[in-house]
Amino acid sequence: MPVVVGFSTKPEGIAALKVAADEARLRQARVLVVPNTEADDPGPHIDALTEAGVEWELRPAPVTREIAEHLMEIADEVEAEMIVIGLRRRSPTGKLLLGMNAQRVLLDAGPPVLAVKAD
């Protein structure tokens, strides 16, 4: 069962990719990389997966739906072992409200979700 990762070129997306690589290596699984948008090219960051020695596959970014829905649909389709997403650092007040997509994945996804912050 694969590890699905929501990827963006922001620091939290890059951190999520690295953690997904570590989790996949531990679980002897492959990684499905799902860009948040068509502009989020994981190419320069794929080395994290190669260096971890895990197989990976790039899935298309969502075109007509939100990333949360797209990510959960792919995870269900492939019976993912887990989903990894990146979270931004927030102010104390901002911590009360997660980003809409992150909150939706955390609350509605079937498989376990691992949320990570950038260094």
Side-chain angles (χ1 to χ4, degrees):
M1 295 192 306
V3 172
V4 175
V5 59
F7 177 78
S8 74
T9 54
K10 296 177 182 172
E12 59 271 13
I14 296 166
L17 186 69
K18 290 176 182 175
V19 170
D22 292 341
E23 288 293 328
R25 186 173 27 95
L26 289 171
R27 299 165 189 274
Q28 298 179 351
R30 64 190 170 109
V31 175
L32 295 183
V33 181
V34 183
N36 288 355
T37 68
E38 290 180 352
D40 288 316
D41 177 16
H45 308 285
I46 290 297
D47 289 346
L49 299 174
T50 305
E51 290 170 8
V54 297
E55 291 182 33
W56 59 274
E57 178 184 334
L58 180 62
R59 290 294 181 106
V63 177
T64 59
R65 65 181 89 132
E66 293 179 4
I67 182 59
E69 182 180 329
H70 187 64
L71 199 60
M72 291 186 296
E73 184 177 286
I74 289 172
D76 288 343
E77 172 189 316
V78 299
E79 298 178 357
E81 190 160 342
M82 72 182 326
I83 298 172
V84 182
I85 59 172
L87 297 178
R88 289 185 308 215
R89 295 199 182 274
R90 297 186 178 268
S91 67
T93 304
K95 288 180 182 177
L96 294 174
L97 301 171
L98 287 173
M100 183 175 69
N101 287 316
Q103 183 174 3
R104 181 138 183 247
V105 172
L106 285 167
L107 295 175
D108 295 340
V113 178
L114 177 57
V116 300
K117 292 183 183 177
D119 294 332

